[in-house]
Amino acid sequence: MTINIKDVAIKAGVSIASVSRVLSGKPGVGTETAERIRKVIEELDYRPNLGARGLAKRTTGNIAVVIPRGSFILNNPFFSTILEGIAKGFDQTNYNMMMSFTSLQQKRLLETQAVDGVILFSPRNEELSLEWLKGIGLPIVVVGSYLEDSPFPCVRPDDEDGIRQAVTALYQLGHRNIGIINGPMSSMHSVRCLNGYKSTLLELGLDYSSENVFEIDEFDAFKATKTMAAFLKDHRKITGVVCSSDYLAIGVIKAAAMIGLSVPEDLSVVGADDVPISDFITPSLSSVHVDLLGIGKRATSILMDMIQGKQIRKRDVVFKMEYINRATTDVPKNS
Amino acid sequence: MTINIKDVAIKAGVSIASVSRVLSGKPGVGTETAERIRKVIEELDYRPNLGARGLAKRTTGNIAVVIPRGSFILNNPFFSTILEGIAKGFDQTNYNMMMSFTSLQQKRLLETQAVDGVILFSPRNEELSLEWLKGIGLPIVVVGSYLEDSPFPCVRPDDEDGIRQAVTALYQLGHRNIGIINGPMSSMHSVRCLNGYKSTLLELGLDYSSENVFEIDEFDAFKATKTMAAFLKDHRKITGVVCSSDYLAIGVIKAAAMIGLSVPEDLSVVGADDVPISDFITPSLSSVHVDLLGIGKRATSILMDMIQGKQIRKRDVVFKMEYINRATTDVPKNS
DNA sequence: TTGTAAGCGTTATCAG
DNA sequence: CTGATAACGCTTACAA
């Protein structure tokens, strides 16, 4: 039914080898013949069968983007923005992009020689076995967060410094009782955020108290608002909070509203990562910006290099963050 | 390097044909032999090469999810939620999912026999040539919006009725000056929303005036807030607006804030589709709910049927919508 | 410069 | 029930 290389060869009166050569731009075919072949390809609107090519070349021409715990994650703009960067990155290449959101899909994708490489969204530590990942023997780059003890290159925001900037910004506004709303400790990202929070408090001469840290039990901020509201209610001296993500920050604003606190009058809140929607909601969210698109693009370019066998010198690419003051932060009320 | 069907055959002391048989669960192999083969497969941790299988079977085992105008779209929760539904749907199948966000990627994906079917996110009318789409001869289902004169099955929200419900809800609250914030008319979705708006006004005995409709020029609501603010400023008699999407509604809230209007006191706003974040922002957005996840799932199941050659009876699957009253709607001020 | 032919890893059609 | 063997569509030595 669909036309193949042989059809082209016959119509052009040459061998399939020659056709293959012009297809892959290889030398060894007369200018004139090449021209004729190209014309026939055009006429027949021939497209090489990628699967067959893959078989012959022992490469697939596609890469996997794997997202652990897929369910809700797509709705988290942090991920979707990085994903957009990845997609943009792939536009420059000839690779196709396969996505997997569940562990079933992941196994299928990575174990069946269906891809040449993988971009792995920061899994939680317990989720994906490092051993298994190493075992599949594919080039892998981790994106979004660091994977502990991993041999894979990683592209991520400088979240520790991001939190530092957020805390400092609140401090400079006059806040002295600063809390942190953090993700689960099973994520390295949360761990680093807490570190940044602690050390900055120290730097600033403020006391650290575990009292002031709230760790959501699940990554889904939706479900966490009620418990966050309870936390805020129990900790009224807190005048400002930093969050380990913008998504959480939006939840905090909701939690504050639930107990009658208004933002930023009664409570200042700072997010992290500065996802697009943060500037869009009302009041617009103060956050710590990072080039999420750039992170995605960089991840793909590193992966491309790995696939091409290049040696990767920088195995931990850290994007700098920068505090953006918007409308959810103000001087504390009683100052 | 990687082990193949031959390795299994040799180690099991059988022919590759037999191995292939047990692999695909085909009859014609002794219980005992089959058992032995299975054991070897297990021992060797053998996985069939999907590319090779595809070549032989003339199917690829993967489907394409194509998203026109990819750039910003991923950050639109309407799309990402449907996408989540699609992903969930694929979990039930043995298919892998390939994504394309740009026209370059799309051509590559659809023309190279890389997929067995495609789920097409509602393109604008001018974007994708129907002729081309038909020409590729792949099963296609359109999702999210209707494609004019298209021969492809379609799964979508009943947006016309959704707007009707939104307008009616505002009416019942006492609003008599109701505006609409709509997307560009190049999208059928916008066209249907406008229809719903007009006809409902008529039903309710209210006058329709093009004065009260604001059509954003681009799909990116981010950039539209300024012009929306100007519109609202020029149309102060409007006490409530319905929007063709939640995303736009969020923009309206921002636009209102820009000119000192507060929601819902000075202006009631209703979104459409009820994306997850709408219940999450503050104040939570009144909207017209539709089962976006269900839409995604349904689209994949229809596609699966098409691929299996089943006849599709229902070529236009419409999901019903339901108004959800939340915090961005109230009685008009001077009532 | 060109063509022949041997793979690539499967499936599927035959015979036995 | 089992095993050769010819496809599948392409790349790539190796010859000519």
Side-chain angles (χ1 to χ4, degrees):
Chain A
M1 197 65 249
T2 96
I3 77 134
N4 60 22
I5 199 173
K6 200 172 175 182
D7 300 325
V8 176
I10 292 174
K11 178 150 188 188
V14 298
S15 73
I16 62 171
S18 293
V19 179
S20 177
R21 287 190 189 100
V22 330
L23 241 45
S24 33
K26 291 222 168 109
V29 47
T31 346
E32 196 184 322
T33 335
E35 202 42 61
R36 181 157 33 99
I37 293 177
R38 256 187 284 275
K39 230 184 77 190
V40 174
I41 288 180
E42 178 77 15
E43 281 172 26
L44 262 37
D45 196 33
Y46 162 75
R47 314 282 168 182
N49 178 312
L50 254 38
R53 175 178 294 182
L55 230 203
K57 298 184 61 162
R58 246 163 310 268
T59 77
T60 66
N62 34 226
I63 66 96
V65 175
V66 350
I67 306 195
R69 253 165 331 112
S71 39
F72 85 97
I73 226 166
L74 263 180
N75 268 309
N76 186 328
F78 172 74
F79 292 99
S80 58
T81 308
I82 292 184
L83 188 54
E84 186 181 320
I86 294 176
K88 285 219 169 94
F90 275 109
D91 230 24
Q92 325 284 61
T93 76
N94 279 314
Y95 281 83
N96 282 134
M97 168 170 165
M98 314 197 68
M99 305 220 33
S100 84
F101 298 93
T102 69
S103 49
L104 226 86
Q105 290 173 3
Q106 283 158 32
K107 285 189 85 65
R108 200 164 56 210
L109 213 51
L110 305 192
E111 290 181 337
T112 53
Q113 302 145 69
V115 299
D116 298 335
V118 7
I119 292 186
L120 178 63
F121 269 81
S122 49
R124 291 211 243 170
N125 291 327
E126 73 267 23
E127 273 175 336
L128 245 41
S129 152
L130 225 66
E131 293 315 313
W132 183 76
L133 246 22
K134 286 184 213 156
I136 60 173
L138 246 30
I140 296 182
V141 14
V142 174
V143 78
S145 178
Y146 184 69
L147 196 56
E148 229 172 345
D149 297 325
S150 116
F152 312 122
C154 165
V155 189
R156 60 185 178 90
D158 190 353
D159 38 20
E160 192 158 340
D161 183 63
I163 288 288
R164 194 186 60 69
Q165 292 187 40
V167 172
T168 305
L170 287 179
Y171 180 86
Q172 287 172 348
L173 279 170
H175 294 269
R176 293 299 177 265
N177 257 293
I178 301 171
I180 181 173
I181 309 287
N182 207 356
M185 278 304 153
S186 52
S187 154
M188 273 308 290
H189 175 249
S190 306
V191 173
R192 268 197 318 278
C193 284
L194 186 60
N195 283 347
Y197 170 75
K198 278 186 189 171
S199 65
T200 309
L201 251 35
L202 227 72
E203 280 173 28
L204 296 172
L206 298 180
D207 286 334
Y208 164 77
S209 158
S210 62
E211 268 284 293
N212 292 338
V213 357
F214 180 78
E215 179 187 329
I216 68 167
D217 45 344
E218 43 193 337
F219 244 118
D220 191 344
F222 272 38
K223 298 175 184 152
T225 47
K226 264 144 293 182
T227 49
M228 269 188 314
F231 170 81
L232 291 176
K233 197 161 196 169
D234 285 354
H235 298 75
R236 281 291 169 84
K237 347 96 208 186
I238 294 181
T239 59
V241 297
V242 298
C243 307
S244 62
S245 80
D246 280 2
Y247 215 48
L248 277 180
I250 294 174
V252 171
I253 294 173
K254 187 167 197 67
M258 284 169 72
I259 61 168
L261 258 39
S262 65
V263 173
E265 292 78 8
D266 302 317
L267 184 72
S268 285
V269 3
V270 184
D273 299 328
D274 189 29
V275 299
I277 207 173
S278 297
D279 192 20
F280 197 44
I281 60 173
T282 311
S284 58
L285 182 67
S286 295
S287 187
V288 192
H289 181 83
V290 65
D291 181 10
L292 256 20
L293 285 175
I295 288 180
K297 284 185 196 163
R298 185 66 182 278
T300 79
S301 83
I302 291 180
L303 184 59
M304 291 301 111
D305 286 349
M306 291 176 76
I307 290 177
Q308 282 156 36
K310 289 188 197 157
Q311 208 49 43
I312 309 298
R313 50 282 141 74
K314 218 174 179 179
R315 305 195 69 81
D316 190 22
V317 180
V318 178
F319 274 57
K320 71 174 197 310
M321 304 191 78
E322 188 188 355
Y323 177 73
I324 309 273
N325 192 253
R326 287 199 276 250
T328 55
T329 39
D330 204 345
V331 296
K333 215 171 188 175
N334 41 6
S335 79
Chain B
M1 198 60 252
T2 96
I3 75 133
N4 61 19
I5 200 174
K6 201 171 175 184
D7 299 327
V8 176
I10 293 174
K11 178 151 185 188
V14 298
S15 74
I16 62 171
S18 294
V19 178
S20 178
R21 286 192 190 99
V22 330
L23 240 44
S24 33
K26 290 218 170 115
V29 45
T31 346
E32 196 183 323
T33 335
E35 202 41 61
R36 180 156 36 100
I37 293 177
R38 255 186 285 276
K39 231 183 76 188
V40 174
I41 288 179
E42 178 77 16
E43 282 172 24
L44 261 39
D45 195 33
Y46 162 73
R47 314 281 168 184
N49 178 312
L50 254 38
R53 174 178 295 182
L55 229 204
K57 299 184 59 163
R58 244 163 311 268
T59 78
T60 65
N62 34 227
I63 67 96
V65 175
V66 350
I67 306 194
R69 257 168 325 117
S71 36
F72 85 97
I73 226 166
L74 263 180
N75 269 309
N76 185 329
F78 173 74
F79 292 99
S80 57
T81 307
I82 292 184
L83 187 56
E84 188 181 319
I86 294 176
K88 283 217 170 93
F90 275 110
D91 229 26
Q92 325 283 60
T93 76
N94 279 312
Y95 282 81
N96 283 135
M97 171 171 163
M98 313 197 68
M99 305 220 33
S100 82
F101 298 94
T102 69
S103 50
L104 225 85
Q105 290 173 3
Q106 283 158 33
K107 285 188 86 64
R108 201 164 56 210
L109 213 50
L110 304 191
E111 291 181 337
T112 52
Q113 301 145 71
V115 299
D116 298 335
V118 5
I119 291 185
L120 179 62
F121 268 82
S122 50
R124 291 210 243 173
N125 291 328
E126 73 267 22
E127 272 175 336
L128 244 39
S129 152
L130 226 64
E131 293 315 311
W132 182 77
L133 246 22
K134 288 184 213 158
I136 60 172
L138 247 28
I140 296 184
V141 14
V142 174
V143 79
S145 178
Y146 185 70
L147 196 56
E148 231 172 342
D149 296 324
S150 117
F152 313 122
C154 165
V155 188
R156 61 185 178 89
D158 190 354
D159 39 20
E160 192 158 339
D161 183 62
I163 288 287
R164 194 187 58 70
Q165 293 187 39
V167 172
T168 305
L170 287 179
Y171 180 85
Q172 286 172 349
L173 279 171
H175 294 269
R176 292 300 176 267
N177 257 293
I178 300 172
I180 180 173
I181 308 288
N182 207 357
M185 279 304 153
S186 52
S187 155
M188 273 306 291
H189 174 248
S190 307
V191 173
R192 269 196 317 278
C193 284
L194 187 60
N195 284 346
Y197 170 76
K198 279 187 188 170
S199 64
T200 308
L201 251 33
L202 226 71
E203 281 173 28
L204 296 173
L206 298 180
D207 288 334
Y208 164 79
S209 159
S210 63
E211 267 283 293
N212 292 337
V213 358
F214 181 77
E215 179 187 328
I216 67 166
D217 45 343
E218 44 192 336
F219 245 118
D220 191 345
F222 273 38
K223 298 175 185 153
T225 48
K226 264 143 292 181
T227 50
M228 269 188 312
F231 171 80
L232 291 176
K233 198 161 195 167
D234 286 353
H235 297 74
R236 279 292 170 85
K237 346 99 207 184
I238 294 181
T239 59
V241 296
V242 298
C243 307
S244 61
S245 79
D246 280 1
Y247 215 50
L248 277 180
I250 295 175
V252 171
I253 295 173
K254 187 168 196 69
M258 285 169 72
I259 61 169
L261 258 37
S262 65
V263 173
E265 292 78 9
D266 303 317
L267 183 72
S268 285
V269 2
V270 184
D273 300 328
D274 188 30
V275 299
I277 206 171
S278 296
D279 191 20
F280 199 43
I281 60 173
T282 311
S284 58
L285 182 66
S286 295
S287 187
V288 192
H289 181 83
V290 65
D291 181 11
L292 258 18
L293 285 175
I295 288 180
K297 283 184 197 164
R298 186 66 182 277
T300 80
S301 83
I302 291 180
L303 184 60
M304 292 301 111
D305 286 349
M306 293 176 74
I307 290 177
Q308 282 156 35
K310 288 188 196 157
Q311 209 48 43
I312 308 299
R313 52 280 139 75
K314 218 173 178 177
R315 304 194 70 79
D316 190 23
V317 179
V318 177
F319 274 57
K320 71 173 198 309
M321 305 191 77
E322 188 189 355
Y323 177 73
I324 308 273
N325 190 254
R326 286 199 276 251
T328 55
T329 39
D330 204 346
V331 297
K333 214 173 190 172
N334 40 6
S335 79

